[in-house]
């Protein structure tokens, strides 16, 4: 949209590139801008439009938001996603940072490298594959850790996937697939802490624990924030895990566990497109606000 | 010493956690359902059982799994090509040229990058429906092709790794703007092209929600959705299935088949991945 006017005024005023360069810049971004409008801006506007109108297209204010919020499943699924996010973000921050610090302290290079690779492998099983693998891991009749499951008091698949356990189980699945990549990122960030900073800490008499807590973790802050933002945005969209589990458990886990499942149900089972749009808009607002707070407070995107 | 021991055991426990399920999955595909239940979970079944599982799997809906694989390959590769053709020049232009609206575009890219895509699936469905593309492969290829993260990666790469003077020199030598991009920037961009290609391929290959909504017919499903639908034909997970049953080792084999392309790309891209994910880390 801004592109349409760009070639006209770029030379005048501010000391910018030549008009030739400016025209080329516009040409280079044109295709991407088309997709950005078609699949970023337009669906967002569409969602907002549908959220505030009824099936006939008449403006209805916040009616759709109220109706969906009063749906008996709404509060439950909101609570499920919130609980899952707490588990997921906590486990990610604690274990990823701890494992990266431990790997970094490991003096022998090849061992650390091999471990990072092993941790990283499940990343290839993202999506439906990771859920299927864990359906097996959690089924005491075939699981390689069935004795562990039995010790914990689980004898049947049904007991393992009881509704109260789901937030934890989805956390395990997500952590299994996603943590390895972040461990590599954190490890790299630790490597980038200047040698003399670490040396100074040592000379000042800091032990390993103090160095980690007072020097390394503060210097990882930006990366931790970045991880939390992306993990939050991803986690709030929970869909494939509960959806596949509901297929595998014949109803133990409902088709309305997460908010995104609820939008799917509103749109395609109950034929309430406007209600579905209202839930989508709420999810979007929540995710964007949380990301906004983190970005503003950490200054992560100060790249420009 | 005690702390070293503790550190060692923590690292080892996590190796088991990350690797054991993968190992189990590889072995499960070589067993019969009986062996899966009664044998040692980490034992090898037999090549015969593996072959039998493969035949049973392909027999399901007349080679459905091969159709799904082909679908995934078509969807992921066409959108990969479009992504690369649009994202690399866009990231380059944002980093290396000045034009009106550049800052706005950069901010918009950061915003949509953080935007949870799955929440847009229903509005996307309505939009695609409005232009009568539901049920065609374009209903997922085009949304897949929009990849702001790729633009952002390219932008970061060019701002940190390629000096602007290099472009200025080429311009003075009489290179056209397209020539500068083609002959100077593009050859330097190989690592970031590989990186964007890898991330976009994996994201497209593993996406579930969008094709689940857009392409409900079995013969249009990509492998992820297909394998998910196999699940409801496994009696031990869903006791109501009839004669078309799929057994658990066959489901394990289907899962392996679904991840193999990602695994292959993954091994090839490893080198770029580690260096690329850290490309931003060196800049303060």
């Amino acid at each position: 949209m801004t592109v349409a006017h760009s070639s006209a005024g770029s030379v005048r005023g501010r000391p910018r590139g030549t008009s030739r360069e400016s025209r080329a810049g516009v040409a280079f971004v044109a295709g991407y801008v088309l997709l950005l409008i078609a699949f970023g801006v337009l669906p967002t506007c569409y969602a907002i439009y549908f959220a505030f109108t009824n099936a006939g297209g008449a403006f209805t204010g916040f009616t759709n938001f109220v109706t969906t919020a009063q749906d008996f499943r709404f509060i439950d699924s909101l609570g499920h996603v919130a609980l899952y996010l707490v588990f997921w973000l906590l486990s990610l921050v604690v274990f990823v940072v701890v494992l990266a610090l431990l790997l970094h302290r490991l003096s022998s290079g090849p061992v650390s490298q091999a471990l990072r690779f092993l941790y990283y492998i499940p990343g290839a099983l993202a999506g439906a594959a990771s859920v299927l693998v864990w359906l097996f891991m959690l089924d005491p009749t075939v699981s390689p850790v069935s004795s562990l499951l039995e010790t914990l008091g689980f004898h049947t698949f049904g007991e393992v996937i009881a509704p109260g356990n789901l937030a934890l189980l989805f956390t395990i699945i997500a952590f299994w697939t996603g943590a390895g990549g972040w461990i590599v990122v954190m490890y790299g960030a630790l490597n980038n802490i200047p040698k003399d900073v670490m040396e100074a800490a040592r000379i000042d008499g800091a032990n390993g624990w103090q160095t980690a807590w007072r020097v390394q973790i503060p210097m990882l802050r930006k990366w931790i924030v970045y991880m939390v933002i992306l993990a939050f945005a991803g986690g709030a969209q929970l869909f494939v895990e509960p959806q596949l589990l509901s297929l595998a458990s014949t109803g133990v886990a409902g088709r309305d566990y997460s908010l995104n499942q609820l939008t799917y149900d509103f749109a395609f089972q109950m034929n309430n497109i406007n209600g579905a749009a209202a839930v989508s808009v709420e999810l979007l607002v929540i995710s964007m606000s949380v990301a906004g707070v983190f970005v503003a407070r950490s200054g992560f995107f100060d790249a420009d | 010493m005690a702390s070293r021991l503790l550190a060692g055991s923590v690292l080892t426990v996590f190796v088991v956690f990350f690797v054991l399920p993968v190992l189990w999955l590889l072995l499960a595909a070589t067993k019969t359902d009986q062996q899966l239940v009664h044998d040692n979970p980490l034992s090898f079944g037999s090549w015969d059982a593996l072959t039998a599982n493969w035949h049973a799997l392909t027999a399901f809906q007349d080679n459905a799994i091969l159709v799904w694989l082909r679908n995934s390959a078509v969807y992921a590769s066409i959108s990969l090509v479009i992504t690369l053709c649009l994202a690399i020049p866009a990231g380059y232009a944002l980093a290396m040229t000045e034009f009106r609206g550049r800052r706005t575009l950069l901010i918009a890219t950061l915003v949509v990058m953080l935007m949870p895509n799955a929440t847009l699936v229903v509005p996307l469905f309505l939009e695609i429906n409005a232009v009568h593309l539901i049920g065609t492969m374009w209903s997922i290829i085009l949304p897949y092709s929009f990849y702001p993260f790729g633009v952002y990666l390219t932008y970061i790469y060019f701002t940190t790794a390629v000096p602007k003077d290099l472009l200025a020199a080429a311009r003075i030598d009489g290179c056209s703007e397209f020539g500068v991009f083609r002959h100077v920037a593009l050859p330097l961009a190989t690592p970031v092209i590989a990186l964007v290609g890898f991330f976009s391929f994996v994201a497209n290959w593993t996406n579930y929600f969008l094709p689940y909504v857009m392409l409900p017919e079995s013969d249009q499903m990509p492998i992820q959705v297909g394998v998910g639908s196999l699940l409801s034909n496994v009696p031990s997970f869903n006791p109501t299935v009839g004669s078309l049953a799929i057994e658990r080792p066959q489901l394990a084999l289907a899962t392996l088949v679904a991840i193999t392309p990602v695994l292959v790309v993954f091994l090839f891209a490893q080198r770029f991945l580690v260096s690329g994910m850290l490309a931003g880390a060196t800049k303060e």
Side-chain angles (χ1 to χ4, degrees):
Chain A
M1 304 189 169
T2 44
V3 175
H5 313 282
S6 56
S7 56
S10 56
V11 189
R12 206 176 30 200
R14 282 167 285 179
R16 296 200 141 184
T18 63
S19 66
R20 189 186 88 158
E21 186 191 317
S22 169
R23 271 197 304 277
V26 172
F28 282 133
V29 297
Y32 166 68
V33 170
L34 272 183
L35 289 185
L36 175 69
I37 292 168
F39 302 112
V41 178
L42 222 53
T44 310
C45 297
Y46 228 49
I48 296 170
Y49 166 76
F50 272 94
F52 287 100
T53 53
N54 63 18
F59 179 74
T60 55
F62 284 93
T63 315
N64 291 318
F65 293 91
V66 175
T67 320
T68 48
Q70 282 170 344
D71 188 282
F72 68 99
R73 301 164 298 179
F74 181 82
I75 293 294
D76 284 350
S77 54
L78 186 67
H80 294 153
V81 173
L83 185 65
Y84 162 69
L85 280 172
V86 170
F87 284 162
W88 163 227
L89 296 180
L90 270 180
S91 62
L92 205 57
V93 169
V94 173
F95 290 123
V96 165
V97 172
V98 166
L99 288 172
L101 285 169
L102 289 180
L103 285 173
H104 195 252
R105 283 180 66 82
L106 213 66
S107 43
S108 43
V111 177
S112 163
Q113 195 182 2
L115 287 179
R116 270 176 289 150
F117 180 67
L118 291 177
Y119 289 176
Y120 195 32
I121 290 176
L125 280 85
S130 65
V131 187
L132 292 173
V133 170
W134 280 90
L135 287 181
F136 289 120
M137 293 302 114
L138 299 170
D139 183 348
T141 55
V142 298
S143 173
V145 291
S146 52
S147 54
L148 178 67
L149 291 172
E150 307 243 338
T151 315
L152 294 170
F154 301 114
H155 302 289
T156 65
F157 184 56
E159 285 171 16
V160 178
I161 57 162
N165 301 340
L166 291 181
L168 195 59
L169 299 184
F170 295 150
T171 301
I172 294 176
I173 299 177
F175 185 84
W176 184 72
T177 350
W182 286 116
I183 291 171
V184 173
V185 170
M186 293 298 163
Y187 180 88
L190 285 172
N191 268 345
N192 278 332
I193 296 177
K195 286 261 184 323
D196 42 340
V197 174
M198 298 293 289
E199 186 67 7
R202 204 183 55 80
I203 290 168
D204 287 349
N207 61 27
W209 166 252
Q210 288 166 326
T211 314
W213 190 248
R214 297 187 188 278
V215 181
Q216 291 172 302
I217 291 179
M219 294 187 92
L220 285 182
R221 204 184 56 142
K222 269 194 170 189
W223 288 101
I224 295 174
V225 169
Y226 183 50
M227 176 173 79
V228 168
I229 293 172
L230 291 190
F232 184 94
Q237 304 178 54
L238 191 65
F239 182 82
V240 60
E241 291 88 347
Q243 192 72 8
L244 286 186
L245 198 59
S246 77
L247 283 178
S249 63
T250 46
V252 175
R255 295 174 55 90
D256 45 21
Y257 181 84
S258 76
L259 286 172
N260 259 331
Q261 282 181 298
L262 201 57
T263 52
Y264 179 81
D265 245 41
F266 274 126
F268 300 105
Q269 308 291 322
M270 302 160 67
N271 229 349
N272 181 357
I273 294 282
N274 304 89
V279 180
S280 292
V281 167
E282 279 165 352
L283 255 179
L284 212 54
V285 169
I286 296 172
S287 301
M288 295 306 291
S289 321
V290 170
V293 168
F294 274 109
V295 169
R297 300 204 56 165
S298 70
F300 188 84
F301 288 127
D302 291 348
D304 194 35
Chain B
M1 211 61 244
S3 75
R4 279 193 79 88
L5 205 65
L6 181 69
S9 34
V10 169
L11 290 170
T12 313
V13 165
F14 275 93
V15 170
V16 174
F17 170 73
F18 283 115
V19 174
L20 186 70
V22 182
L23 200 62
W24 182 90
L25 184 71
L26 286 171
L27 293 167
T30 68
K31 295 180 188 178
T32 64
D33 202 57
Q34 283 290 315
Q35 288 175 313
L36 196 67
V37 178
H38 297 295
D39 286 10
N40 182 331
L42 294 180
S43 65
F44 179 80
S46 65
W47 293 109
D48 287 347
L50 178 63
T51 319
N53 285 335
W54 174 250
H55 288 310
L57 187 59
T58 47
F60 180 80
Q61 286 185 7
D62 211 6
N63 281 327
I65 188 146
L66 299 180
V67 175
W68 298 332
L69 269 178
R70 194 203 58 207
N71 290 342
S72 276
V74 170
Y75 304 154
S77 48
I78 297 182
S79 44
L80 174 69
V81 171
I82 304 179
T83 297
L84 288 180
C85 289
L86 299 183
I88 303 294
Y92 161 80
L94 283 171
M96 309 304 272
T97 63
E98 287 290 347
F99 56 92
R100 173 79 70 90
R102 176 181 158 278
R103 222 188 132 73
T104 319
L105 192 56
L106 200 56
I107 293 168
T109 301
L110 292 181
V111 172
V112 289
M113 211 177 88
L114 297 177
M115 210 146 83
N117 290 319
T119 62
L120 289 182
V121 165
V122 171
L124 266 175
F125 175 86
L126 298 172
E127 185 184 329
I128 301 278
N129 194 31
V131 292
H132 307 295
L133 284 177
I134 291 294
T136 71
M137 63 178 192
W138 300 108
S139 65
I140 60 167
I141 289 180
L142 291 177
Y144 279 174
S145 305
F146 170 55
Y147 195 52
F149 182 61
V151 174
Y152 180 70
L153 270 182
T154 315
Y155 162 77
I156 289 281
Y157 178 82
F158 277 111
T159 46
T160 53
V162 180
K164 275 191 171 182
D165 302 347
L166 206 61
L167 305 191
R171 287 192 187 108
I172 290 166
D173 288 349
C175 231
S176 70
E177 286 298 326
F178 182 76
V180 175
F181 173 67
R182 171 73 190 76
H183 298 292
V184 182
L186 217 46
L188 291 171
T190 322
V192 79
I193 293 173
L195 198 64
V196 173
F198 172 79
F199 281 134
S200 127
F201 179 83
V202 173
N204 297 342
W205 190 275
T206 55
N207 194 329
Y208 183 88
F209 196 10
L210 190 69
Y212 181 77
V213 168
M214 298 286 188
L215 302 170
E217 301 292 327
S218 176
D219 60 352
Q220 296 180 320
M221 285 177 185
I223 186 86
Q224 293 277 336
V225 183
V227 167
S229 78
L230 276 184
L231 180 61
S232 47
N233 287 293
V234 177
S236 23
F237 290 123
N238 182 5
T240 57
V241 288
S243 54
L244 286 170
I246 285 283
E247 287 183 325
R248 283 173 287 189
Q250 290 145 25
L251 183 65
L253 181 60
T255 311
L256 278 178
V257 169
I259 62 160
T260 307
V262 177
L263 215 54
V264 171
V265 179
F266 190 77
L267 290 175
F268 275 108
Q270 246 239 91
R271 198 161 52 90
F272 294 115
L273 273 174
V274 177
S275 61
M277 280 198 294
L278 304 174
T282 49
K283 192 196 170 205
E284 271 306 310

